[in-house]
Amino acid sequence: PKVSVCVVTYNQEKYIGQCLQSIVVQVTDFDFEVLVADDCSTDGTREIVREFAEKYPGMVKPIFHEKNIGAYKNFIFVNGKASGEYTAHVDGDD
């Protein structure tokens, strides 16, 4: 992909759906991926991320941590998984 959009999230059930929807509806003339790194949320965040991954296969790529690693490490981790020529960062409540 030309761009990797890295989304970090933790217990953002109220916001993550709107955040991801605003990303996937972007009209571009290039391919992009959306990497969503969930830091072991305990609310409904993971289910919402799964739904987007099912609805947008190949575009939305979930990463579900089994233990909470903290915001900074989650940010570093997901950016390390980006394969695009360019990388963008979005917080799950943006």
Side-chain angles (χ1 to χ4, degrees):
K2 184 81 166 182
V3 175
S4 294
V5 180
C6 296
V7 181
V8 294
T9 189
Y10 174 71
N11 285 349
Q12 294 174 325
E13 177 181 24
K14 294 180 182 179
Y15 312 105
I16 192 66
Q18 185 177 355
C19 171
L20 295 178
Q21 189 64 39
S22 72
I23 296 169
V24 300
V25 299
Q26 295 299 307
V27 177
T28 66
D29 60 356
F30 54 85
D31 290 333
F32 65 95
E33 65 180 355
V34 183
L35 304 170
V36 186
D38 176 69
D39 199 14
C40 201
S41 291
T42 58
D43 62 1
T45 299
R46 283 184 176 218
E47 184 55 38
I48 295 167
V49 173
R50 277 191 192 97
E51 290 171 6
F52 272 87
E54 290 173 9
K55 189 172 181 179
Y56 301 95
M59 178 190 289
V60 177
K61 301 173 182 178
I63 300 166
F64 296 122
H65 296 293
E66 294 306 315
K67 289 175 29 179
N68 187 279
I69 62 173
Y72 176 74
K73 286 184 180 178
N74 197 22
F75 173 85
I76 297 298
F77 182 88
V78 71
N79 278 274
K81 297 292 185 184
S83 61
E85 184 178 343
Y86 301 98
T87 302
H89 173 79
V90 177
D91 288 324
D93 59 355
D94 285 349

